Amino acid sequence: MDGRDLLRAVGIFGTAQGLRAARSAWRRHRTDSVGLPARGAERARVPGPAGGAEPLPGGGTVRFARSELRIVVTVGGAVFRGWDGALPEPSYALAGAPPEPDPRAGLEPDKDGGWRVVSERLTVAVSRHGAVEIRTPGGVVLRRDLPPRWWEPVGGGPARWVQRSEIAADARLFGLGGRASGPRLRDGSYRLWNTAPRAGFGPGDGPLHITMPVQTVVADAGTHLAFHDNTWEGRVIVREGEEGAGSGHDRPGTVEVRMDGGPLRSWVLVGTPARVLSGWAQLTGAPALPSSWALGPQHVRRTGGEEDVRRTVEAHRDLGLPLSAVHVGSGPEDALPGPAGDLERFPGLPALAKDLREDGVRLVRAVDPAVPVVPEDARYGHGCAAGLFVRDGRGDEVLGTAGPRGCVFPDFTDPRVRLWWDGLYGETTAQGFSGAWLDRNEPVACTSFDGLTLPRSSRHALDGHGGDHREAHNVYGLAMARAGYEALRRQRPEERPYLISRSGWAGMQRYGGAWAGDVTSGWPGLRASLSLALGLGLCGVPYSGTDVGGAADGLSAELYLRRLQLAAYLPLSRTKESGVPWAYGPAVTTPARAALAERERLGPYFVTLAQLARLTGAPYVRPLWWRHPADRALRDCEDAFLLGDALLVAPVLEPGADRRAVRLPRGRWYDTVSGRPYDGPGQVLVDAPLSRIPVLARAGAVLPVLTERSDGSGAGGTGGRVGLEVWAPAAGRRGGGLVVRDTGDGWDEPEIERYTTRLAGGRVVVERATDDGAVTVEGPVRVRGQE
């Protein structure tokens, strides 16, 4: 906190609120100065030379002079490495028990006094001084971790550490959570600390709401994912490599992970991008399956009451704009925290929810973690008496400010708190809400100062082993998402929970999706929205998105339309009250209607992508190199993406453009509007009028679409008759696709339909593959792309 922060707090929130916020910030500083002793003198330590090893199933333990390393290769091919006795559990990232060791892999002596573990998919080699190499079966090094270094306080306390790794000179790095500057992570320092930045962040800002120590590395030699399972604050320093241009003197890229405490343990998964993300989902949990209505266009209404919501829904219907859900909740000015907070603006909420649901529109509730300090409030009284709120080292409740009130924060790392939160959700579901949008759950302890969270010395249960906020901060949003998901599932067991969270950590996909925050309203925010969705997908969170309108009003008609056109192809597609199509007049409303109608037509395809994400971990939104990671041009392309396997979407990211260059992966691609074919790999120039953005279909692709919309379906995007859209395969080639049909919002296990396409006698033959062989396709089929 500095003078400018204080002046801003007083000026924006009024003298009383500003001074209250200033006191909150000073209280945080004072609490940490008392609760966190100075580190003092430190001793540096390295592993030292190897002195022996103990073989164990899947690997073993290598002992060094001043440390030891445990290596386990699992049956799925994942590699665990833990220093100083660190084990896979306990972990907030893992979905359950760690995978079983591979009984065929074992620790054996290697040359020069080292050790190695050989498995079917990779080899792990440990040098006599503690360097660890991950090699392909052919011996190519994918990653080389240098011996780690620890700094241990002489007077005791958590040791900070650094792990420096070398990757191929041609490698490209992705991940680390939601990064507005990505998806490719260039040279720089990336902080691992979930933060609430100022509204209107852009590509140059960070850290943001979701940070994860998850690296996806793509190189000519192969793809791998590295995850450091440590929730403490840290920093990742990236330096891309340089190739020697034939001289043989390549400079490898480096990734340096620095943590302020916590265990040094990590996982590595190797394979194709699809195999790596599948292994990651098996390790950290399958993505939660959103309800089918959640795959349609949604809208945020932070202000106003019932009549405002009804007018918004009516305006969408009158203008023919699809709408599947309205999100309501508080802004920072009137701060209504907690899941059962005051909703005086909605006195007839159950009737409103019932009327909207009959019209195909759901209500979603914004939920803050903070609970106002109001003695007569039963929530506060019960939580205080039961000791459910975060406390400082002296045992006092940690106080913050949210809007005009003081507030306290439930400790979601305590199982008792998660069960208590369940009871509070009972009122929310009884009122008719169909899901929850978790906001300000980094957590934000003071809305007057950006990024201000709880004191680092605050105490947390951490599910039994106890610790402070330095360890709990990054998983606070994850634990809150777990509490919300489990509560919704218990309250409405017949429906799949709908939950999106602004903050989270590795494994958050188990409980729902991610709202990536208030990106800047300018053109850089458009590019940041794409980067965030791609980056989160590569960290295992397939369902995500930002708001079309960005963080502020005043978008030009062109920029608004380009943002909406991109959002129509992102998993979470959401407009906001300050940015609705009709505010820009017919010139925007007409193409906006077309973009949202296409999203609705593709509803069955989004259902298929959601089901496949649950089964395989593959994100809906994929980088262009997804199927061709060895294509260096695709690795460097950040302005387009694949939507599943069938479509390539090329959003317009610059003002005034009516054409744009598109980098194509290998194969034939068809413009979905003109039907014109293009052949890749290579770059082509395609039309991009203001009325649409370029979307290309892969030759041979089969995707489910709505052929007609059923009456009264609302705009969830799945009501109507489903048919197949088939794009003609190239001569001499075959194609195909997977289709998973909507089974409703319950838990019925769907059937996966497999289709193949081929040319025969000048016509396209479409067949469904079954255990009994190929069968004729029933239902409407539209073949496109034939010359």
Side-chain angles (χ1 to χ4, degrees), residues 55-390:
L56 296 168
T61 301
V62 181
R63 295 187 177 86
F64 298 87
R66 290 174 291 277
S67 186
E68 66 178 32
L69 170 65
R70 174 71 185 275
I71 297 176
V72 179
V73 178
T74 70
V75 290
V79 180
F80 172 78
R81 298 165 300 169
W83 287 91
D84 283 356
L87 299 174
E89 295 182 297
S91 169
Y92 279 99
L94 270 58
E100 292 294 322
D102 185 349
R104 299 170 298 177
L107 191 66
E108 58 187 50
D110 199 8
K111 60 184 179 180
D112 299 327
W115 299 83
R116 67 178 183 177
V117 180
V118 179
S119 70
E120 180 182 1
R121 298 179 185 174
L122 51 82
T123 297
V124 184
V126 183
S127 77
R128 62 186 298 266
H129 289 290
V132 181
E133 291 184 349
I134 305 294
R135 303 171 182 166
T136 67
V140 178
V141 177
L142 295 176
R143 185 182 192 90
R144 184 171 189 264
D145 293 341
L146 302 180
R149 181 181 294 267
W150 295 266
W151 286 269
E152 300 168 331
V154 173
R160 56 190 181 94
W161 54 261
V162 60
Q163 172 77 74
R164 189 168 184 262
S165 305
E166 294 179 348
I167 56 178
D170 65 279
R172 296 291 183 260
L173 188 74
F174 305 85
L176 298 184
R179 301 285 169 171
S181 59
R184 173 183 163 192
L185 302 175
R186 291 171 169 79
D187 292 1
S189 179
Y190 299 88
R191 188 181 174 202
L192 298 171
W193 185 256
N194 292 349
T195 303
R198 284 184 173 90
F201 64 82
D205 296 316
L208 303 180
H209 307 284
I210 301 173
T211 64
M212 302 181 195
V214 180
Q215 313 158 28
T216 300
V217 183
V218 187
D220 287 355
T223 301
H224 73 272
L225 180 149
F227 167 55
H228 286 82
D229 193 352
N230 184 310
T231 67
W232 283 64
E233 180 178 7
R235 191 170 294 274
V236 178
I237 302 169
V238 176
R239 185 185 180 194
E240 292 185 318
E242 292 181 1
E243 294 184 281
S247 68
H249 297 288
D250 292 349
R251 178 176 65 78
T254 60
V255 182
E256 187 173 281
V257 179
R258 292 179 171 269
M259 288 290 182
D260 288 346
L264 175 44
R265 57 182 181 178
S266 61
W267 292 86
V268 173
L269 298 99
V270 173
T272 65
R275 182 185 288 275
V276 164
L277 265 294
S278 176
W280 178 243
Q282 293 174 35
L283 186 68
T284 61
L289 185 64
S291 300
S292 55
W293 59 262
L295 299 171
Q298 302 173 50
H299 181 76
V300 178
R301 186 83 207 185
R302 276 193 179 272
T303 60
E306 289 181 20
E307 291 306 312
D308 298 281
V309 172
R310 290 185 186 274
R311 281 194 294 268
T312 298
V313 174
E314 289 173 2
H316 278 82
R317 183 172 57 245
D318 293 344
L319 293 171
L321 298 170
L323 182 67
S324 65
V326 176
H327 298 231
V328 299
S330 61
E333 291 79 14
D334 56 358
L336 306 173
D342 182 19
L343 283 171
E344 293 180 354
R345 295 180 288 126
F346 299 89
L349 185 57
L352 172 66
K354 180 177 180 295
D355 292 345
L356 294 186
R357 183 181 279 251
E358 291 175 352
D359 202 28
V361 179
R362 303 301 204 282
L363 273 182
V364 175
R365 174 73 190 279
V367 178
D368 289 2
V371 173
V373 179
V374 180
E376 60 272 20
D377 188 314
R379 292 173 299 145
Y380 173 72
H382 178 268
C384 181
L388 302 181
F389 300 125
V390 177

Side-chain angles (χ1 to χ4, degrees), residues 17 332 334-335 337 368 370 400-407 409 440 444-447:
Q17 171 61 9
D334 56 358
D368 289 2
T401 59
R405 305 186 180 104
C407 57
F409 299 85
R440 295 199 284 273
V444 175
C446 179
T447 54

Side-chain angles (χ1 to χ4, degrees), residues 65 73 113 221 278 488 517 591 614 754:
V73 178
S278 176
L488 289 170
R614 178 183 68 90
R754 301 176 183 272

Side-chain angles (χ1 to χ4, degrees), residues 497-630:
Y498 174 79
L499 184 142
I500 56 174
S501 178
R502 190 171 83 168
S503 184
W505 200 66
M508 66 179 293
Q509 74 277 357
R510 300 191 295 266
Y511 312 118
W515 173 64
D518 288 314
V519 298
T520 178
S521 297
W523 287 93
L526 178 58
R527 190 177 292 271
S529 297
L530 174 57
S531 297
L532 287 162
L534 282 167
L536 286 168
L538 291 174
C539 290
V541 186
Y543 184 81
S544 70
T546 58
D547 292 339
V548 169
D553 303 334
L555 274 69
S556 68
E558 179 193 12
L559 176 55
Y560 175 83
L561 191 53
R562 293 309 194 189
R563 292 183 73 130
L564 186 142
Q565 289 167 341
L566 168 61
Y569 294 95
L570 295 181
L572 173 60
S573 178
R574 202 173 78 160
T575 57
K576 57 190 300 187
E577 59 191 331
S578 60
V580 287
W582 56 86
Y584 295 88
V588 168
T589 303
T590 298
R593 183 186 301 114
L596 295 178
E598 179 63 6
R599 170 61 177 248
E600 185 178 33
R601 191 181 76 91
L602 292 173
Y605 184 52
F606 274 92
V607 168
T608 294
L609 295 180
Q611 291 281 3
L612 294 179
R614 178 183 68 90
L615 295 171
T616 69
Y620 313 18
V621 171
R622 307 167 187 176
L624 292 187
W625 47 259
W626 180 258
R627 291 177 61 168
H628 306 285

Side-chain angles (χ1 to χ4, degrees), residues 685-696:
L685 192 64
V686 298
D687 292 333
L690 190 58
S691 60
R692 64 180 177 88
I693 58 175
V695 179
L696 296 95

